[in-house]
Amino acid sequence: IWGQQAKAIQGMLDFDYVCRRNSPSVVASTYPFTGDNKQKYYFGQKEILIPAYKSMAKAFATHPEATVMITFASMRSVFETVLEALEFPQIKVIAIIAEGVPENQTRKLLKIAHDRGVTLIGPATVGGIKPGAFKIGNTGGMMDNILASKLYRPGSVAYVSRSGGMSNELNNIISQNTNGVYEGIAIGGDRYPGSTYTDHVIRYQNDDRVKMIVLLGEVGGVEEYKIVDLLKQKKVTKPLVAWCIGTCADHITSEVQFGHAGASANALGETAACKNAALRASGALVPESFDDLGNKIRQTYDDLVRQQIIIPQPEVPPPAVPMDYAWARELGLIRKPASFMTSICDERGEELNYAGVPITKVLESDMG
């Protein structure tokens, strides 16, 4: 992990624990503005120490088994940070959380990463999640959402989206209508994401543990048409449920720029409606609206169950994750009696004094 992100790291460790991992997924963090130290976290009820390094080189040398880096560097420093990480051959995946990364810098990183066989996720992403195994940063939300969406064990459905917020919605929709998520990736909202829909859909197609695929595209760009070509060429044969959000833009007379940098239609073919029509014509399972997406996923899943391509397994409850004291107190779940604390120290064996007054007199006189 690059950066001082204690809350995100603790969230990842809690996810590891609820997935019944034997050891934490996070082995170290690095931050150039502090010295080497160890930081305390929880793994279930057990307190553990995770090393933090000033030098990225020392971090990778000390932990040669680490192949994934998550960088929380800001848009001002993320280019240099990722450039340095790409120098280490052990790295296979880098997740870039920062928004607002200049497009020329992103394209340079894409070229270098492609030449070295490294997968980039982001920029402008919440990351991704592999239920039962690992999650990136704050993906999946709070623990109650993770448990409700059954992300603590793998399902049979893999998805890819641009939006991190909508990926959490997909977790919810898929968990309610199928046996759960196998893997989910939010590629990021910039016009030049580090990895594309195509990269991940092809991975899912080649993974026998994935039985169906969900694609959530959006207005702007033409990446969805590459999926159309894959469907026409029969390179994607698994059931693909797809929907492109942003159809409301067609009903607005002025040009619309949505929240993502790439979410703006600069031509008719970049509109969500045109993409949905093309996906439907190529064989994708496209609902009539986003409200109907869950029903389309449910129908597809039920068909696979009837064909015995998916065989539902008995649900095993996850282990309970202890709640932090501060959070439990904020929710009103616990209470603690008031305590008297003093910093007075006198080890001579005589009665403690406060400003020259015996402590018993202070208490008896109700002075403190």
Side-chain angles (χ1 to χ4, degrees):
I1 308 291
W2 194 101
Q4 295 184 310
Q5 293 289 329
K7 193 171 182 180
I9 293 174
Q10 185 60 66
M12 293 175 66
L13 298 177
D14 288 342
F15 182 77
D16 294 340
Y17 180 76
V18 83
C19 290
R20 302 181 188 273
R21 283 183 64 116
N22 294 323
S23 59
S25 59
V26 180
V27 296
S29 65
T30 178
Y31 193 61
F33 306 110
T34 61
D36 291 359
N37 63 89
K38 293 186 182 293
Q39 298 177 338
K40 186 176 74 173
Y41 295 96
Y42 290 99
F43 189 65
Q45 293 183 335
K46 181 182 177 182
E47 289 183 288
I48 61 173
L49 295 174
I50 293 181
Y53 299 95
K54 179 181 178 67
S55 163
M56 192 185 296
K58 185 176 180 180
F60 285 123
T62 309
H63 304 278
E65 75 281 11
T67 59
V68 178
M69 188 182 90
I70 305 167
T71 173
F72 288 93
S74 70
M75 55 178 262
R76 294 179 294 277
S77 59
V78 70
F79 177 72
E80 291 77 12
T81 301
V82 175
L83 208 57
E84 181 181 358
L86 287 169
E87 296 296 325
F88 301 96
Q90 72 197 69
I91 285 293
K92 303 302 179 187
V93 178
I94 299 176
I96 304 172
I97 308 299
E99 297 182 357
V101 181
E103 290 181 353
N104 65 324
Q105 293 184 356
T106 300
R107 297 180 76 172
K108 289 177 184 176
L109 292 176
L110 281 173
K111 177 67 169 62
I112 298 170
H114 180 268
D115 292 344
R116 298 183 182 179
V118 176
T119 298
L120 296 183
I121 301 175
T125 182
V126 73
I129 192 165
K130 192 156 188 174
F134 168 77
K135 78 169 187 139
I136 293 174
N138 297 310
T139 309
M142 300 289 288
M143 183 53 63
D144 54 351
N145 186 67
I146 288 171
L147 296 176
S149 299
K150 300 177 183 177
L151 297 174
Y152 49 83
R153 89 294 186 273
S156 303
V157 185
Y159 71 80
V160 57
S161 76
R162 272 190 177 272
S163 168
M166 291 305 297
S167 72
N168 280 341
E169 181 65 18
L170 283 178
N171 290 332
N172 180 47
I173 293 173
I174 291 171
S175 69
Q176 289 182 358
N177 293 284
T178 72
N179 66 348
V181 175
Y182 175 77
E183 182 181 322
I185 296 290
I187 63 174
D190 285 358
R191 187 164 282 274
Y192 300 104
S195 58
T196 64
Y197 296 135
T198 305
D199 296 332
H200 298 290
V201 168
I202 289 294
R203 280 198 310 109
Y204 299 153
Q205 172 66 29
N206 295 331
D207 192 330
D208 292 337
R209 294 165 293 186
V210 176
K211 305 304 181 184
M212 61 179 283
I213 304 168
V214 176
L215 166 68
L216 188 66
E218 66 178 35
V219 60
V222 294
E223 179 62 29
E224 290 85 352
Y225 290 106
K226 295 180 182 178
I227 304 298
V228 170
D229 292 338
L230 292 176
L231 289 166
K232 289 179 177 178
Q233 297 165 14
K234 304 299 182 184
K235 291 183 179 179
V236 174
T237 56
K238 293 179 180 178
L240 174 69
V241 179
W243 178 255
C244 295
I245 55 179
T247 53
C248 63
D250 296 344
H251 305 286
I252 302 174
T253 55
S254 59
E255 183 177 341
V256 180
Q257 168 68 59
F258 289 92
H260 291 160
S264 177
N266 298 315
L268 181 62
E270 294 188 17
T271 63
C274 283
K275 293 180 184 182
N276 286 329
L279 285 163
R280 185 180 289 111
S282 64
L285 303 166
V286 181
E288 294 302 317
S289 68
F290 180 79
D291 291 340
D292 196 40
L293 179 62
N295 293 331
K296 182 65 72 174
I297 290 173
R298 164 62 74 176
Q299 293 168 10
T300 307
Y301 173 78
D302 288 345
D303 288 343
L304 293 173
V305 171
R306 279 192 291 270
Q307 298 169 39
Q308 295 190 330
I309 295 173
I310 295 177
I311 301 176
Q313 301 297 315
E315 192 66 47
V316 178
V321 178
M323 185 177 292
D324 288 341
Y325 173 79
W327 180 238
R329 188 172 184 179
E330 186 174 330
L331 293 176
L333 299 177
I334 58 174
R335 58 191 178 192
K336 181 182 178 183
S339 58
F340 179 82
M341 300 181 64
T342 177
S343 59
I344 302 171
C345 181
D346 190 338
E347 299 177 350
R348 295 173 298 177
E350 302 174 0
E351 183 177 4
L352 300 177
N353 293 328
Y354 181 76
V357 179
I359 194 67
T360 54
K361 188 174 181 180
V362 172
L363 296 174
E364 290 169 356
S365 304
D366 199 23
M367 295 186 204

